[in-house]
Amino acid sequence: MGRMHAKSILQHPRTATLTGCDTDPSRAQELSKEIGAEWLPLDEALESGAYDAFFVASPPSAHLDQVTRAARGGAYVFCEKPLGEDLASIDAAMPNLRQHGDRIQVGFNRRFDPHMAELKKRLLAGKIGQIEQLRIVSRDHTAPCVDALQNSSGLIAETAIHDFDLTRWLLDDEVAEVMCMGSALINPAYASVGHIDTATTLLRGSRGQQVVIQNSWRTSYGYDQRVEAFGAGGRLSVANPAGPLVAQEDASGLHRDLIAPDWLARYPEAYFIQATAFLDAASRRDAVSPDLKDGYAASYIAQKAADSLKSGLPEACEYGGLSVDLTTARAHIRK
Amino acid sequence: MGRMHAKSILQHPRTATLTGCDTDPSRAQELSKEIGAEWLPLDEALESGAYDAFFVASPPSAHLDQVTRAARGGAYVFCEKPLGEDLASIDAAMPNLRQHGDRIQVGFNRRFDPHMAELKKRLLAGKIGQIEQLRIVSRDHTAPCVDALQNSSGLIAETAIHDFDLTRWLLDDEVAEVMCMGSALINPAYASVGHIDTATTLLRGSRGQQVVIQNSWRTSYGYDQRVEAFGAGGRLSVANPAGPLVAQEDASGLHRDLIAPDWLARYPEAYFIQATAFLDAASRRDAVSPDLKDGYAASYIAQKAADSLKSGLPEACEYGGLSVDLTTARAHIRK
Amino acid sequence: MGRMHAKSILQHPRTATLTGCDTDPSRAQELSKEIGAEWLPLDEALESGAYDAFFVASPPSAHLDQVTRAARGGAYVFCEKPLGEDLASIDAAMPNLRQHGDRIQVGFNRRFDPHMAELKKRLLAGKIGQIEQLRIVSRDHTAPCVDALQNSSGLIAETAIHDFDLTRWLLDDEVAEVMCMGSALINPAYASVGHIDTATTLLRGSRGQQVVIQNSWRTSYGYDQRVEAFGAGGRLSVANPAGPLVAQEDASGLHRDLIAPDWLARYPEAYFIQATAFLDAASRRDAVSPDLKDGYAASYIAQKAADSLKSGLPEACEYGGLSVDLTTARAHIRK
Amino acid sequence: MGRMHAKSILQHPRTATLTGCDTDPSRAQELSKEIGAEWLPLDEALESGAYDAFFVASPPSAHLDQVTRAARGGAYVFCEKPLGEDLASIDAAMPNLRQHGDRIQVGFNRRFDPHMAELKKRLLAGKIGQIEQLRIVSRDHTAPCVDALQNSSGLIAETAIHDFDLTRWLLDDEVAEVMCMGSALINPAYASVGHIDTATTLLRGSRGQQVVIQNSWRTSYGYDQRVEAFGAGGRLSVANPAGPLVAQEDASGLHRDLIAPDWLARYPEAYFIQATAFLDAASRRDAVSPDLKDGYAASYIAQKAADSLKSGLPEACEYGGLSVDLTTARAHIRK
């Protein structure tokens, strides 16, 4: 992650210095050398007050502390999703983060994918009117090893959180209710370590919009990332990008190649555009987007989805950690 | 409906006589003349014991009585969906219907659509393994007039019921739970007469399969009927049939024509194949399919979806009207 | 062929009597019985003067004689393509046919295919302006046995003749020049009996339009029949109709089923609409279309293409058998 | 062109120094500064013997002289297509170029497009067997101003030359005959300055393969670059890459966005991969591809196509400037 961001940062015209940090100094040195950056011990960098912008790509459990310290010094902070390990820790950190809300960008990279951005543009242009129904498919290609799940916050908190953000962004509205159905259908071993691998989530927007998200940790056919929005004017959809544009037609029918295998192959442009947008905002001292509020809201919905998974019931979304109404919350964050 | 079935019946090689009936004799005479059939007063036909097979295409409120009388005489009975106006009346009729279950076919025509049938065939052949996630889109082109809704049992009981049957058929399994989210998003006037126009239904199969159905009374672009099934082996989907295969590429991009506008244009083959399958079964004294049990189960799920819509909660499906377990129920019906 | 037309004829509302004929009376009797028609010895039928319309579906060598005799009696005549075995015999017959030109329809069924008709409609509506470039693909699925070629007039005269007619119809213009390149690429045995199996023909319309036709006797993937027209306004294309609309996406990519295997599966609607159009014209005593002139012109181009194949040079098309100018010819035919 | 190549060169790991040259020193200085390169007067650079590789992106009339001088010094030379202004000047230069044939790469960038490369890979893997028929569409979006045509060698020599190279590369064979049909259909003003704007070229490979190329200077819908190959095993095709993957379905049908507008948007990867392949070959002292022979052959076919356009007749391709047989020629070039 750090490596990927470094490339984008070095290409930005306003980048003067890039410094690599890590809790492990030797790793910081190594990476910095590799990407052609200086290096500094992490604490020193965070406390120096010398940086205009930070990219936080550490493990989720370290996000809130690092973001808070970086923001306190007046810097712009880009934080990979999720904002924190769980909603409780985010709620606890909010008093110290709230006043920096406009300078804290959260890594919902899909908003910057040119295809998703084109969809958003058309929705804003009223091409189909208000969204009435929305469907998001977000299915990974290769399921994680059971052993690798110790540090994973799971399908909902790590994967679906992107889709919760997409939902809010595309609806241009808050989620009012969430009902999540999930279980281990790919591999029962996941269930034995407390994880689900397949989930379908039903959400209601504040104006009654009906949203469905289909998540899975495994497809046989590639990284499946599609969106379909329905309104009075019709249907807008984003398809998976094709692989090579060679089609073969033979005695068994028509064949096309696999789609992209993973997020690295699917979203390189999105990551670059995301970093550029953040650095542009930092350069111009503009408000970032998606911001702290967006990071909070997605984690909030993820928590409610997890609650629903346990309770087997729909859960109301009232964004209580900020305030009953996220619009009010927005005012708080924005000062 | 009667007219459409008549054409199929007259083309069946085992059809000797076709007789038209109606509660209104003059209408029966008129229709019979038009389609080249004899005619008989309805009661006379039902009681005559002279017919091998009946097609019941009357209003839903008349279904159960006519089906029961026709079946009692030993005839095969094709009944348009739904089997009855509501689950209570079906439950009440079951003691008299149960023993004829194998001779009562319910009009879930989509099972006979060649594209849906091909999907089913591939699922049975194990092309993608067990279904883990399923998505059905079923959206009508033209929403009904508010005035026309007096005799309508609504979006769930009239439209979604097809999708509940598709779900059971494609999963090859029973539904264990249903959660329905719906409201009037197209026209608030629908809400004022107690109807919803847009619904998203989340169902769970008995093995944890996750199913989503998206229904709406209105699209701007035609009759939208698509299915997508996900399993370990991949993804199987049924697209909407294209209209004319002419594509135009010009200064504003690539354009294709509208899809079929309605069920008449989308499913003519399905209706013909459905009637033929029923008459074939009647000729050979075979069990029909979908049968009474299937008709019951779809109405049962529709009732639970309606309950969920009211309660705002997921509803368990235990098929109580038949017995706790539909497999047992199946034994009852089949004797 | 006769069987197929019989079905369409029997469904036409103005059909009073259908009579089957054959040079072999016992075959005529058999077929007539099968299709529910009367029968008559061929000569008797042709000379009776009792029929409003004839369908000539005999071998090409018999066409001209039968068409002439049928037309002489005042009947409308539908003649399967080609009008005659070769251009010389057609030229010889023209003095006797010319005055009946408006009552002689030639079996270019593709004009009646709804997809091709939609393309024509859009061209007439000026959707892309004048055609500048045109490309027709017409490739059969299963190549004929070498033994079956004794009675075959070959790839150009039997298959490409359809495409020559399509060219004239879509351009709404005459062909001015033709250059044909062909050889036996599928099977050298074809060359040994004087046939080619693969041809590419380049034609120029009278206004300089550039047309390319790709023919082959064999594909591995079905009956390939596509058209693409380019003009100032853009591109119009007709694709092959899909088979079942089920797509499968798996570890080897995306797969769709085969297209239609042959003309029987591809053009059933076209044959029905063609017969209906002819019988409608006969009922109303209207001019038919495509008519004698169109049948002549396609055979003329086929002859020139065959000449080009031999000479290796482009051949000018001057439609000499009728007159230098086909427009004048048209006047002759139409009287 | 120079600018585009500079970017690729600077990213190559073996690039030590990049120097900009131009016949106009002030332009050379300006460009060099812009791209971060040193600069040198052109003659000095060509004669210095200090460079491992040259990129020649000057006007076609300067190609042969610069390529010859650069190659004489032992450097690898990349030359934009065409190799020379016309076949006569190339023929005249060949005695001095022949011995450097393996170090002279000609800029047929489409060979490096990942989609075309995938097609080639599948052809080599025998996916459809030998090509029997081939169709190439290559149509530009925006036609040139009539005034800009003074320095243009025209549709055949500038655009179709790419397709002649594609033909040889995909067939893995030489062209034996070419017949070109062309005229000014877009704008008669082109004809008045001796140009055509629309061409269809029919070629025959040495084994009888049938090739069709459709060229035009104008589409309304973008840069149309498609290939379709037919063999015993089926059909392989390369489609145009889509623009944004957003589809809209509304009351007028299904709509997709425009394809890429021009070669800059269509082939950026191809240019980068092309430059990298050349520099890799130069670094390793390998033979380049496409090489001098390929550059010669494409210009040769272009000349024959131009001859055919004038004569109205097919022209035989015997590659006489090199020798009767290009395989022999190959030996000459390769030493």
Side-chain angles (χ1 to χ4, degrees):
Chain A
M1 231 45 226
R3 235 170 235 98
M4 175 181 275
H5 289 312
K7 275 192 201 168
S8 305
I9 297 167
L10 287 169
Q11 286 189 53
H12 195 272
R14 300 293 302 273
T15 296
T17 317
L18 173 62
T19 305
C21 303
D22 197 298
T23 47
D24 173 352
S26 71
R27 207 162 48 180
Q29 275 182 283
E30 200 179 324
L31 174 68
S32 299
K33 196 177 158 192
E34 184 193 326
I35 61 178
E38 304 176 357
W39 84 275
L40 222 56
L42 177 61
D43 289 335
E44 209 170 306
L46 285 172
E47 304 302 335
S48 72
Y51 293 89
D52 293 315
F54 282 85
F55 278 77
V56 175
S58 52
S61 58
H63 283 182
L64 288 166
D65 173 60
Q66 294 172 6
V67 168
T68 306
R69 290 163 71 195
R72 197 165 47 201
Y76 271 67
V77 189
F78 176 90
C79 177
E80 273 305 331
K81 59 91 209 170
L83 188 53
E85 230 181 347
D86 51 39
L87 189 63
S89 57
I90 300 176
D91 274 337
M94 283 305 280
N96 293 319
L97 289 177
R98 212 163 276 193
Q99 64 268 37
H100 312 302
D102 278 1
R103 284 187 279 118
I104 298 172
Q105 182 169 328
V106 180
F108 294 121
N109 59 298
R110 291 177 197 176
R111 291 193 185 201
F112 298 94
D113 172 62
H115 309 291
M116 299 293 178
E118 175 70 22
L119 170 63
K120 173 71 178 175
K121 197 179 108 188
R122 295 202 195 180
L123 288 168
L124 285 176
K127 292 293 184 193
I128 59 164
Q130 293 293 318
I131 291 180
E132 293 166 0
Q133 293 185 307
L134 180 68
R135 183 241 194 162
I136 300 175
V137 174
S138 175
R139 309 178 89 238
D140 285 338
H141 186 219
T142 311
C145 301
V146 176
D147 295 346
L149 292 176
Q150 283 175 317
N151 300 314
S152 167
S153 42
L155 183 68
I156 297 302
E158 288 202 350
T159 299
I161 197 169
H162 275 298
D163 307 305
F164 298 147
D165 181 65
L166 266 190
T167 296
R168 291 180 63 250
W169 183 57
L170 294 174
L171 291 186
D172 209 0
D173 193 13
E174 297 303 336
V175 166
E177 192 185 47
V178 57
M179 163 88 196
C180 182
M181 182 182 280
S183 54
L185 297 177
I186 298 170
N187 187 348
Y190 292 135
S192 71
V193 294
H195 278 278
I196 61 168
D197 52 36
T198 309
T200 303
T201 309
L202 182 60
L203 306 101
R204 176 154 46 203
S206 79
R207 296 190 295 273
Q209 310 98 311
Q210 300 162 8
V211 181
V212 150
I213 300 170
Q214 289 176 295
N215 295 115
S216 163
W217 265 345
R218 176 264 289 126
T219 74
S220 65
Y221 53 87
Y223 188 55
D224 193 357
Q225 301 268 306
R226 288 172 290 145
V227 177
E228 198 173 358
F230 300 91
R235 190 173 79 84
L236 282 169
S237 62
V238 176
N240 287 314
L245 292 165
V246 178
Q248 181 160 342
E249 205 165 359
D250 58 30
S252 62
L254 178 73
H255 314 279
R256 295 235 177 79
D257 261 14
L258 288 171
I259 55 173
D262 55 27
W263 55 272
L264 273 169
R266 172 66 183 85
Y267 289 124
E269 289 166 302
Y271 279 103
F272 179 77
I273 299 170
Q274 174 183 248
T276 304
F278 170 70
L279 292 170
D280 285 350
S283 305
R284 296 191 303 253
R285 307 299 296 175
D286 279 350
V288 298
S289 174
D291 61 13
L292 175 67
K293 171 187 50 60
D294 297 311
Y296 181 89
S299 287
Y300 181 90
I301 301 170
Q303 181 61 52
K304 292 299 172 184
D307 293 349
S308 168
L309 201 55
K310 269 191 206 139
S311 68
L313 298 174
E315 300 284 336
C317 290
E318 294 172 341
Y319 302 91
L322 289 171
S323 81
V324 173
D325 176 4
L326 200 67
T327 320
T328 320
R330 197 172 309 196
H332 287 183
I333 295 177
R334 290 268 157 91
K335 272 163 297 159
Chain B
M1 235 35 233
R3 237 171 232 96
M4 175 181 274
H5 289 313
K7 275 191 200 167
S8 305
I9 297 166
L10 287 169
Q11 287 190 50
H12 195 272
R14 301 293 301 272
T15 297
T17 318
L18 173 64
T19 305
C21 303
D22 197 297
T23 47
D24 173 351
S26 73
R27 207 161 51 180
Q29 275 182 285
E30 199 179 324
L31 173 69
S32 299
K33 195 177 158 192
E34 182 194 326
I35 62 177
E38 304 175 357
W39 83 275
L40 222 55
L42 177 60
D43 291 334
E44 208 171 306
L46 284 172
E47 305 301 336
S48 72
Y51 294 89
D52 293 314
F54 282 85
F55 278 77
V56 173
S58 51
S61 58
H63 283 181
L64 287 166
D65 172 60
Q66 293 172 5
V67 169
T68 306
R69 290 163 70 195
R72 197 165 45 201
Y76 271 66
V77 189
F78 176 91
C79 178
E80 273 305 331
K81 59 91 210 172
L83 189 53
E85 232 181 346
D86 50 39
L87 188 64
S89 57
I90 299 177
D91 275 336
M94 283 305 280
N96 293 320
L97 289 177
R98 211 163 276 193
Q99 64 268 35
H100 312 303
D102 279 0
R103 284 188 278 117
I104 299 171
Q105 182 168 331
V106 180
F108 294 122
N109 59 299
R110 291 178 197 176
R111 293 193 183 200
F112 299 94
D113 172 61
H115 308 292
M116 298 294 178
E118 175 70 23
L119 170 62
K120 174 71 178 176
K121 197 179 109 187
R122 295 202 196 180
L123 288 169
L124 285 175
K127 293 293 185 193
I128 59 164
Q130 292 293 319
I131 290 179
E132 292 166 1
Q133 294 185 306
L134 180 68
R135 183 242 193 160
I136 300 174
V137 173
S138 175
R139 309 177 89 239
D140 285 339
H141 186 219
T142 311
C145 302
V146 176
D147 295 345
L149 291 177
Q150 283 174 317
N151 301 315
S152 167
S153 42
L155 183 68
I156 297 302
E158 289 203 350
T159 298
I161 198 169
H162 275 298
D163 307 305
F164 299 147
D165 181 65
L166 264 190
T167 296
R168 292 180 62 249
W169 183 57
L170 294 174
L171 292 186
D172 208 1
D173 193 15
E174 296 304 336
V175 167
E177 192 184 47
V178 58
M179 162 89 197
C180 182
M181 182 182 280
S183 53
L185 297 176
I186 299 170
N187 187 349
Y190 291 135
S192 71
V193 293
H195 279 278
I196 61 169
D197 52 35
T198 309
T200 303
T201 309
L202 183 59
L203 306 102
R204 176 154 47 204
S206 79
R207 296 190 295 272
Q209 310 97 312
Q210 301 163 6
V211 181
V212 150
I213 300 169
Q214 289 176 295
N215 295 115
S216 163
W217 264 346
R218 174 264 289 127
T219 73
S220 64
Y221 54 87
Y223 188 55
D224 193 357
Q225 301 268 306
R226 288 171 291 144
V227 177
E228 198 173 358
F230 301 90
R235 190 173 80 84
L236 282 169
S237 62
V238 176
N240 288 315
L245 292 165
V246 178
Q248 182 161 341
E249 205 166 357
D250 58 30
S252 62
L254 178 73
H255 314 279
R256 295 237 176 78
D257 262 14
L258 287 171
I259 55 172
D262 55 26
W263 54 272
L264 272 169
R266 171 67 183 84
Y267 289 123
E269 289 166 301
Y271 279 102
F272 179 76
I273 299 171
Q274 174 183 248
T276 304
F278 170 71
L279 292 170
D280 285 349
S283 305
R284 296 192 303 252
R285 307 299 296 171
D286 279 349
V288 297
S289 174
D291 62 12
L292 175 67
K293 169 188 52 60
D294 297 310
Y296 182 89
S299 286
Y300 181 89
I301 301 170
Q303 181 61 54
K304 291 298 170 183
D307 292 350
S308 167
L309 200 57
K310 267 189 207 141
S311 67
L313 299 173
E315 300 284 338
C317 290
E318 295 172 339
Y319 302 92
L322 287 172
S323 81
V324 173
D325 176 4
L326 200 67
T327 320
T328 321
R330 197 173 309 197
H332 287 184
I333 295 175
R334 289 266 158 91
K335 273 162 300 154
Chain C
M1 229 46 225
R3 238 171 232 97
M4 175 180 275
H5 289 312
K7 275 192 200 166
S8 304
I9 297 166
L10 287 169
Q11 286 189 53
H12 195 271
R14 301 293 302 272
T15 296
T17 317
L18 174 63
T19 305
C21 304
D22 197 297
T23 47
D24 173 351
S26 72
R27 207 161 50 179
Q29 276 181 284
E30 201 179 324
L31 174 68
S32 299
K33 195 177 160 192
E34 183 193 325
I35 61 177
E38 302 176 358
W39 83 274
L40 222 57
L42 178 61
D43 290 335
E44 207 169 307
L46 284 171
E47 305 301 336
S48 72
Y51 293 89
D52 294 314
F54 283 84
F55 278 76
V56 174
S58 52
S61 58
H63 284 181
L64 287 165
D65 172 61
Q66 293 172 6
V67 168
T68 306
R69 291 163 71 195
R72 197 165 45 203
Y76 271 66
V77 189
F78 176 91
C79 177
E80 274 305 331
K81 58 92 211 170
L83 189 53
E85 231 181 347
D86 50 39
L87 189 64
S89 56
I90 301 177
D91 275 336
M94 283 304 280
N96 293 320
L97 289 177
R98 212 163 275 194
Q99 64 268 36
H100 312 302
D102 279 0
R103 284 188 279 119
I104 299 172
Q105 183 169 328
V106 181
F108 294 121
N109 59 298
R110 290 178 198 176
R111 293 193 183 200
F112 299 94
D113 172 61
H115 308 292
M116 298 294 178
E118 175 70 23
L119 170 63
K120 174 70 179 177
K121 196 179 109 188
R122 295 200 196 182
L123 288 169
L124 285 176
K127 293 293 184 192
I128 59 164
Q130 292 294 317
I131 291 179
E132 292 166 1
Q133 292 185 308
L134 180 68
R135 183 240 194 163
I136 301 175
V137 174
S138 175
R139 309 176 90 239
D140 284 338
H141 185 219
T142 310
C145 302
V146 176
D147 294 345
L149 292 176
Q150 284 174 316
N151 300 314
S152 166
S153 42
L155 183 68
I156 297 303
E158 289 202 349
T159 299
I161 198 170
H162 275 297
D163 307 304
F164 298 146
D165 180 65
L166 265 190
T167 296
R168 292 181 62 250
W169 184 56
L170 294 174
L171 292 186
D172 208 1
D173 193 13
E174 296 305 335
V175 166
E177 192 184 48
V178 58
M179 163 88 197
C180 182
M181 182 182 280
S183 55
L185 296 177
I186 298 171
N187 188 348
Y190 291 135
S192 71
V193 294
H195 279 277
I196 61 167
D197 52 38
T198 309
T200 304
T201 309
L202 183 59
L203 306 101
R204 176 154 45 203
S206 79
R207 295 189 295 272
Q209 310 99 311
Q210 301 163 6
V211 181
V212 151
I213 300 170
Q214 290 176 294
N215 295 115
S216 164
W217 264 346
R218 175 264 289 128
T219 74
S220 65
Y221 53 88
Y223 188 54
D224 192 357
Q225 300 269 307
R226 288 172 290 145
V227 177
E228 199 173 357
F230 301 89
R235 190 173 78 84
L236 282 169
S237 62
V238 176
N240 287 314
L245 292 165
V246 178
Q248 180 160 342
E249 205 166 359
D250 58 30
S252 62
L254 177 73
H255 314 280
R256 295 235 177 78
D257 262 14
L258 288 172
I259 55 173
D262 56 26
W263 53 273
L264 272 169
R266 172 66 183 85
Y267 289 124
E269 289 166 301
Y271 279 102
F272 178 77
I273 299 171
Q274 174 183 248
T276 304
F278 169 70
L279 292 170
D280 285 350
S283 304
R284 295 192 303 253
R285 307 299 296 174
D286 279 349
V288 298
S289 175
D291 61 12
L292 175 67
K293 170 189 50 61
D294 298 310
Y296 181 90
S299 286
Y300 180 90
I301 300 170
Q303 181 61 52
K304 292 297 170 183
D307 293 350
S308 168
L309 199 57
K310 267 189 207 141
S311 67
L313 298 173
E315 299 285 338
C317 290
E318 294 172 340
Y319 303 92
L322 288 171
S323 81
V324 172
D325 177 4
L326 201 68
T327 321
T328 320
R330 197 172 309 196
H332 288 183
I333 295 176
R334 289 268 157 90
K335 273 163 297 161
Chain D
M1 232 41 229
R3 239 170 230 96
M4 175 180 275
H5 289 313
K7 276 191 199 167
S8 305
I9 297 166
L10 287 170
Q11 287 190 51
H12 195 271
R14 301 293 302 272
T15 297
T17 317
L18 174 63
T19 305
C21 304
D22 198 296
T23 46
D24 172 352
S26 72
R27 206 162 51 178
Q29 275 182 284
E30 199 179 324
L31 173 68
S32 299
K33 196 177 158 191
E34 182 193 326
I35 61 177
E38 303 174 359
W39 82 275
L40 221 57
L42 178 61
D43 290 335
E44 209 172 305
L46 284 171
E47 305 301 336
S48 72
Y51 294 89
D52 294 315
F54 282 85
F55 278 76
V56 174
S58 51
S61 58
H63 283 182
L64 287 165
D65 172 60
Q66 293 172 6
V67 168
T68 306
R69 290 162 71 194
R72 197 164 47 201
Y76 272 65
V77 190
F78 177 91
C79 178
E80 274 305 331
K81 58 91 210 169
L83 188 53
E85 232 180 346
D86 50 38
L87 189 63
S89 56
I90 299 177
D91 275 335
M94 282 306 279
N96 293 320
L97 288 177
R98 211 164 277 192
Q99 63 268 37
H100 312 302
D102 279 0
R103 285 188 278 119
I104 299 171
Q105 183 169 328
V106 180
F108 294 121
N109 59 298
R110 291 178 197 176
R111 293 193 184 199
F112 299 94
D113 172 62
H115 309 292
M116 298 295 178
E118 175 71 23
L119 171 63
K120 174 70 179 177
K121 196 179 109 188
R122 295 203 195 179
L123 288 168
L124 285 175
K127 293 293 185 192
I128 59 164
Q130 292 294 318
I131 291 179
E132 292 166 1
Q133 293 185 308
L134 180 68
R135 183 242 192 161
I136 300 175
V137 173
S138 175
R139 309 177 90 239
D140 285 338
H141 186 219
T142 311
C145 302
V146 176
D147 294 345
L149 291 175
Q150 283 175 317
N151 301 313
S152 167
S153 41
L155 183 68
I156 297 302
E158 289 203 349
T159 298
I161 197 169
H162 275 298
D163 307 305
F164 299 146
D165 180 65
L166 265 190
T167 296
R168 291 181 62 249
W169 182 57
L170 294 175
L171 291 186
D172 208 2
D173 193 14
E174 297 305 336
V175 166
E177 191 184 47
V178 57
M179 163 88 197
C180 182
M181 181 182 281
S183 54
L185 297 176
I186 299 171
N187 187 349
Y190 292 134
S192 71
V193 293
H195 279 277
I196 61 168
D197 52 35
T198 309
T200 303
T201 309
L202 183 59
L203 306 101
R204 174 152 50 202
S206 81
R207 296 190 294 272
Q209 311 98 311
Q210 300 163 7
V211 181
V212 151
I213 299 170
Q214 289 176 295
N215 295 115
S216 164
W217 264 346
R218 176 264 289 127
T219 74
S220 65
Y221 54 88
Y223 188 54
D224 192 357
Q225 300 269 306
R226 287 172 290 145
V227 176
E228 197 172 358
F230 301 90
R235 190 173 79 85
L236 282 169
S237 62
V238 176
N240 287 314
L245 292 165
V246 178
Q248 180 161 343
E249 205 166 358
D250 58 30
S252 63
L254 177 73
H255 315 279
R256 295 236 176 78
D257 261 15
L258 287 172
I259 55 172
D262 55 27
W263 54 272
L264 272 170
R266 171 66 183 85
Y267 289 123
E269 290 166 300
Y271 279 102
F272 178 78
I273 298 171
Q274 173 182 249
T276 303
F278 170 71
L279 292 170
D280 285 349
S283 304
R284 296 191 304 251
R285 308 299 297 173
D286 279 349
V288 298
S289 175
D291 62 14
L292 175 67
K293 170 188 51 59
D294 297 311
Y296 182 89
S299 286
Y300 181 90
I301 300 170
Q303 181 61 54
K304 291 298 170 183
D307 293 350
S308 168
L309 199 56
K310 267 189 208 142
S311 68
L313 298 173
E315 299 284 337
C317 290
E318 294 172 339
Y319 303 91
L322 287 172
S323 80
V324 172
D325 176 3
L326 201 67
T327 320
T328 320
R330 196 174 309 197
H332 288 183
I333 294 176
R334 290 267 158 90
K335 273 162 299 160

